[in-house]
Amino acid sequence: MREEQKGILLESGTNELEVIVFQVGSGIFGINVMKVREIIQAPSVTSMPNSHPHIEGIIRLRDEVLTVVNLTKVLGFPPSENPNQDKLIVSELNQIKVAFRVQGVSRIHRISWEQIEKPTELSQGLENATTGVVKMDEQMILLLDFEKIVVDINPDKGINVKQVQTLGRRERSNKKIVVAEDSAMLRKLLHETLAEAGYDQVTFFDDGKEAWAYLEFLKQDENHNIEDEVQLIITDLEMPKMDGHHLTKRIKSDEQLQSLPVVIFSSLITDDLYHKGKGVGADGQISKPEIVKLIKMIDKLVL
């Protein structure tokens, strides 16, 4: 399936994505095709003693040993009635591979990021792992935050201030940075880690569309020079309304903005996608959660 997926992937910067729809319990969910390496029938799983409650165990897939995360436990659904019919979605994110147990996989949908709504604060909740809602026909498809699911199980796979403390503080406070990141958890962590490094003038936006609107506003403000207000932009890739590739393409296609450095910071910086970032003009691409590499890249571009 992997090669077939690559064959239908979209050109960089079109603000579209392809979502694999699957079922867990009574819920319908989605995952970006670019995170999926393959989908297999669930084999026997070897249990691991003293593991996290969401970890079912491990499997051997060809030459690799993969951790199996049971999404029914993550999402609070009852156990699968027919576990022999279950599927495993083998994914690669944050530079690790992990298999997620689901009850069924239906099809691939091609959609625009504009179709994806942010979960409301009321429905999202503090512990909810949903990043967006896709309204399709009479169905509501929930996009799961797989990165958060992994970090909740193993916090070492996330971003933390201790990683940055090895760099030491430098005079960076005069630099202004714009960040487009849809995860509230990651916005908080980026705020803490960038401030620890000395970058304390950071303006955050929930998605690429909001960040673009801010840049458009600066363009129209005759009292300020854009390059005095923003020295660098950091963007995630997967975001409702406007993704990071489309945001980067817009910036690099704009005469007033194209000189601004843009760094893509995403769990999807794989070999398959790196060329897409280059194609839209990104000045740097760093894989989450490598915050030290991100700060070194920022230093290189603005100091």
Side-chain angles (χ1 to χ4, degrees), residues 227-249:
E227 293 183 355
D228 291 335
E229 300 302 315
V230 183
Q231 280 80 57
L232 181 133
I233 295 154
I234 300 170
T235 181
D236 188 16
L237 284 183
E238 295 184 289
M239 296 179 289
K241 300 302 181 182
M242 185 186 294
D243 71 2
H245 281 147
H246 191 63
L247 173 62
T248 304
K249 185 175 182 178

mmCIF file of all heavy atoms in Angstrom, residues 227-249:
data_model
loop_
_atom_site.group_PDB
_atom_site.id
_atom_site.type_symbol
_atom_site.label_atom_id
_atom_site.label_comp_id
_atom_site.label_asym_id
_atom_site.label_seq_id
_atom_site.Cartn_x
_atom_site.Cartn_y
_atom_site.Cartn_z
ATOM 1 N N GLU A 227 10.287 43.252 8.376
ATOM 2 C CA GLU A 227 11.487 42.581 8.875
ATOM 3 C C GLU A 227 11.898 43.068 10.257
ATOM 4 O O GLU A 227 12.721 42.419 10.916
ATOM 5 C CB GLU A 227 12.630 42.747 7.874
ATOM 6 C CG GLU A 227 12.358 42.011 6.568
ATOM 7 C CD GLU A 227 13.515 42.106 5.593
ATOM 8 O OE1 GLU A 227 14.494 42.826 5.896
ATOM 9 O OE2 GLU A 227 13.443 41.464 4.534
ATOM 10 N N ASP A 228 11.318 44.191 10.701
ATOM 11 C CA ASP A 228 11.539 44.644 12.083
ATOM 12 C C ASP A 228 10.594 43.936 13.046
ATOM 13 O O ASP A 228 10.872 43.850 14.249
ATOM 14 C CB ASP A 228 11.334 46.157 12.195
ATOM 15 C CG ASP A 228 12.419 46.939 11.468
ATOM 16 O OD1 ASP A 228 13.525 46.386 11.295
ATOM 17 O OD2 ASP A 228 12.151 48.087 11.063
ATOM 18 N N GLU A 229 9.466 43.443 12.521
ATOM 19 C CA GLU A 229 8.441 42.822 13.360
ATOM 20 C C GLU A 229 8.564 41.304 13.430
ATOM 21 O O GLU A 229 8.134 40.683 14.396
ATOM 22 C CB GLU A 229 7.046 43.184 12.837
ATOM 23 C CG GLU A 229 6.752 44.669 12.830
ATOM 24 C CD GLU A 229 6.878 45.279 14.219
ATOM 25 O OE1 GLU A 229 6.368 44.674 15.181
ATOM 26 O OE2 GLU A 229 7.507 46.357 14.335
ATOM 27 N N VAL A 230 9.135 40.702 12.407
ATOM 28 C CA VAL A 230 9.308 39.248 12.354
ATOM 29 C C VAL A 230 10.661 38.938 11.739
ATOM 30 O O VAL A 230 10.970 39.431 10.655
ATOM 31 C CB VAL A 230 8.208 38.561 11.508
ATOM 32 C CG1 VAL A 230 8.389 37.048 11.541
ATOM 33 C CG2 VAL A 230 6.822 38.937 11.973
ATOM 34 N N GLN A 231 11.454 38.126 12.441
ATOM 35 C CA GLN A 231 12.751 37.729 11.883
ATOM 36 C C GLN A 231 12.757 36.271 11.408
ATOM 37 O O GLN A 231 13.619 35.874 10.634
ATOM 38 C CB GLN A 231 13.867 37.923 12.911
ATOM 39 C CG GLN A 231 14.360 39.363 13.025
ATOM 40 C CD GLN A 231 13.433 40.225 13.869
ATOM 41 O OE1 GLN A 231 13.182 39.909 15.020
ATOM 42 N NE2 GLN A 231 12.940 41.317 13.300
ATOM 43 N N LEU A 232 11.780 35.478 11.868
ATOM 44 C CA LEU A 232 11.758 34.065 11.487
ATOM 45 C C LEU A 232 10.389 33.472 11.776
ATOM 46 O O LEU A 232 9.691 33.903 12.697
ATOM 47 C CB LEU A 232 12.842 33.289 12.246
ATOM 48 C CG LEU A 232 12.971 31.797 11.954
ATOM 49 C CD1 LEU A 232 14.437 31.404 11.721
ATOM 50 C CD2 LEU A 232 12.409 30.955 13.111
ATOM 51 N N ILE A 233 10.011 32.463 10.977
ATOM 52 C CA ILE A 233 8.729 31.774 11.150
ATOM 53 C C ILE A 233 8.995 30.289 11.344
ATOM 54 O O ILE A 233 9.776 29.678 10.608
ATOM 55 C CB ILE A 233 7.820 31.996 9.926
ATOM 56 C CG1 ILE A 233 7.461 33.481 9.813
ATOM 57 C CG2 ILE A 233 6.552 31.161 10.024
ATOM 58 C CD1 ILE A 233 7.127 33.924 8.429
ATOM 59 N N ILE A 234 8.345 29.714 12.351
ATOM 60 C CA ILE A 234 8.372 28.275 12.595
ATOM 61 C C ILE A 234 6.966 27.741 12.332
ATOM 62 O O ILE A 234 5.991 28.310 12.832
ATOM 63 C CB ILE A 234 8.778 27.951 14.046
ATOM 64 C CG1 ILE A 234 10.171 28.507 14.352
ATOM 65 C CG2 ILE A 234 8.733 26.445 14.296
ATOM 66 C CD1 ILE A 234 10.536 28.436 15.826
ATOM 67 N N THR A 235 6.862 26.679 11.559
ATOM 68 C CA THR A 235 5.534 26.132 11.286
ATOM 69 C C THR A 235 5.504 24.619 11.412
ATOM 70 O O THR A 235 6.451 23.922 11.030
ATOM 71 C CB THR A 235 5.044 26.550 9.879
ATOM 72 O OG1 THR A 235 3.737 26.004 9.664
ATOM 73 C CG2 THR A 235 5.973 26.051 8.781
ATOM 74 N N ASP A 236 4.404 24.132 11.966
ATOM 75 C CA ASP A 236 4.086 22.709 11.934
ATOM 76 C C ASP A 236 3.606 22.385 10.517
ATOM 77 O O ASP A 236 3.379 23.289 9.701
ATOM 78 C CB ASP A 236 2.993 22.429 12.963
ATOM 79 C CG ASP A 236 2.714 20.951 13.155
ATOM 80 O OD1 ASP A 236 3.551 20.125 12.743
ATOM 81 O OD2 ASP A 236 1.649 20.618 13.701
ATOM 82 N N LEU A 237 3.440 21.115 10.203
ATOM 83 C CA LEU A 237 2.873 20.747 8.906
ATOM 84 C C LEU A 237 1.375 20.504 8.992
ATOM 85 O O LEU A 237 0.594 21.079 8.247
ATOM 86 C CB LEU A 237 3.568 19.494 8.346
ATOM 87 C CG LEU A 237 4.965 19.709 7.772
ATOM 88 C CD1 LEU A 237 5.500 18.411 7.186
ATOM 89 C CD2 LEU A 237 4.965 20.793 6.709
ATOM 90 N N GLU A 238 0.944 19.640 9.905
ATOM 91 C CA GLU A 238 -0.473 19.292 9.999
ATOM 92 C C GLU A 238 -1.212 20.313 10.856
ATOM 93 O O GLU A 238 -1.045 20.357 12.070
ATOM 94 C CB GLU A 238 -0.643 17.918 10.627
ATOM 95 C CG GLU A 238 -0.086 16.780 9.804
ATOM 96 C CD GLU A 238 -0.385 15.454 10.458
ATOM 97 O OE1 GLU A 238 0.218 15.172 11.500
ATOM 98 O OE2 GLU A 238 -1.234 14.716 9.951
ATOM 99 N N MET A 239 -2.052 21.133 10.219
ATOM 100 C CA MET A 239 -2.831 22.128 10.956
ATOM 101 C C MET A 239 -4.165 22.351 10.253
ATOM 102 O O MET A 239 -4.211 22.390 9.016
ATOM 103 C CB MET A 239 -2.082 23.465 11.043
ATOM 104 C CG MET A 239 -0.780 23.425 11.813
ATOM 105 S SD MET A 239 0.044 25.040 11.848
ATOM 106 C CE MET A 239 0.583 25.185 10.127
ATOM 107 N N PRO A 240 -5.253 22.519 11.013
ATOM 108 C CA PRO A 240 -6.534 22.866 10.389
ATOM 109 C C PRO A 240 -6.425 24.178 9.616
ATOM 110 O O PRO A 240 -5.598 25.031 9.918
ATOM 111 C CB PRO A 240 -7.479 23.013 11.586
ATOM 112 C CG PRO A 240 -6.846 22.234 12.685
ATOM 113 C CD PRO A 240 -5.367 22.356 12.469
ATOM 114 N N LYS A 241 -7.255 24.298 8.593
ATOM 115 C CA LYS A 241 -7.403 25.520 7.783
ATOM 116 C C LYS A 241 -6.263 25.724 6.785
ATOM 117 O O LYS A 241 -6.485 25.931 5.613
ATOM 118 C CB LYS A 241 -7.557 26.768 8.670
ATOM 119 C CG LYS A 241 -8.775 26.723 9.591
ATOM 120 C CD LYS A 241 -10.051 26.564 8.799
ATOM 121 C CE LYS A 241 -11.281 26.540 9.691
ATOM 122 N NZ LYS A 241 -12.515 26.329 8.912
ATOM 123 N N MET A 242 -4.999 25.698 7.250
ATOM 124 C CA MET A 242 -3.873 25.861 6.332
ATOM 125 C C MET A 242 -2.669 25.103 6.877
ATOM 126 O O MET A 242 -2.248 25.338 8.010
ATOM 127 C CB MET A 242 -3.515 27.338 6.147
ATOM 128 C CG MET A 242 -2.422 27.573 5.096
ATOM 129 S SD MET A 242 -1.870 29.300 4.984
ATOM 130 C CE MET A 242 -3.357 30.086 4.370
ATOM 131 N N ASP A 243 -2.132 24.189 6.079
ATOM 132 C CA ASP A 243 -0.994 23.406 6.556
ATOM 133 C C ASP A 243 0.323 24.153 6.365
ATOM 134 O O ASP A 243 0.380 25.218 5.754
ATOM 135 C CB ASP A 243 -0.971 22.021 5.891
ATOM 136 C CG ASP A 243 -0.586 22.054 4.415
ATOM 137 O OD1 ASP A 243 -0.288 23.146 3.889
ATOM 138 O OD2 ASP A 243 -0.588 20.990 3.785
ATOM 139 N N GLY A 244 1.394 23.566 6.900
ATOM 140 C CA GLY A 244 2.682 24.250 6.890
ATOM 141 C C GLY A 244 3.302 24.388 5.519
ATOM 142 O O GLY A 244 3.966 25.387 5.233
ATOM 143 N N HIS A 245 3.106 23.404 4.651
ATOM 144 C CA HIS A 245 3.640 23.518 3.293
ATOM 145 C C HIS A 245 2.965 24.665 2.541
ATOM 146 O O HIS A 245 3.630 25.430 1.822
ATOM 147 C CB HIS A 245 3.435 22.204 2.523
ATOM 148 C CG HIS A 245 4.435 21.154 2.856
ATOM 149 N ND1 HIS A 245 4.143 19.797 2.855
ATOM 150 C CD2 HIS A 245 5.748 21.231 3.208
ATOM 151 C CE1 HIS A 245 5.222 19.117 3.177
ATOM 152 N NE2 HIS A 245 6.207 19.962 3.408
ATOM 153 N N HIS A 246 1.653 24.779 2.692
ATOM 154 C CA HIS A 246 0.927 25.845 1.994
ATOM 155 C C HIS A 246 1.321 27.214 2.549
ATOM 156 O O HIS A 246 1.508 28.173 1.787
ATOM 157 C CB HIS A 246 -0.581 25.632 2.135
ATOM 158 C CG HIS A 246 -1.398 26.510 1.237
ATOM 159 N ND1 HIS A 246 -1.325 26.448 -0.135
ATOM 160 C CD2 HIS A 246 -2.293 27.495 1.522
ATOM 161 C CE1 HIS A 246 -2.162 27.345 -0.660
ATOM 162 N NE2 HIS A 246 -2.748 27.991 0.322
ATOM 163 N N LEU A 247 1.461 27.316 3.873
ATOM 164 C CA LEU A 247 1.896 28.569 4.487
ATOM 165 C C LEU A 247 3.282 28.956 3.972
ATOM 166 O O LEU A 247 3.516 30.117 3.588
ATOM 167 C CB LEU A 247 1.923 28.431 6.008
ATOM 168 C CG LEU A 247 2.510 29.621 6.784
ATOM 169 C CD1 LEU A 247 1.680 30.883 6.562
ATOM 170 C CD2 LEU A 247 2.611 29.299 8.279
ATOM 171 N N THR A 248 4.206 27.992 3.954
ATOM 172 C CA THR A 248 5.559 28.271 3.473
ATOM 173 C C THR A 248 5.543 28.723 2.013
ATOM 174 O O THR A 248 6.228 29.686 1.632
ATOM 175 C CB THR A 248 6.437 27.016 3.619
ATOM 176 O OG1 THR A 248 6.419 26.576 4.980
ATOM 177 C CG2 THR A 248 7.868 27.298 3.202
ATOM 178 N N LYS A 249 4.751 28.039 1.201
ATOM 179 C CA LYS A 249 4.668 28.389 -0.221
ATOM 180 C C LYS A 249 4.156 29.818 -0.402
ATOM 181 O O LYS A 249 4.661 30.572 -1.239
ATOM 182 C CB LYS A 249 3.745 27.401 -0.942
ATOM 183 C CG LYS A 249 3.678 27.597 -2.451
ATOM 184 C CD LYS A 249 2.830 26.509 -3.099
ATOM 185 C CE LYS A 249 2.791 26.670 -4.610
ATOM 186 N NZ LYS A 249 2.002 25.583 -5.249
#
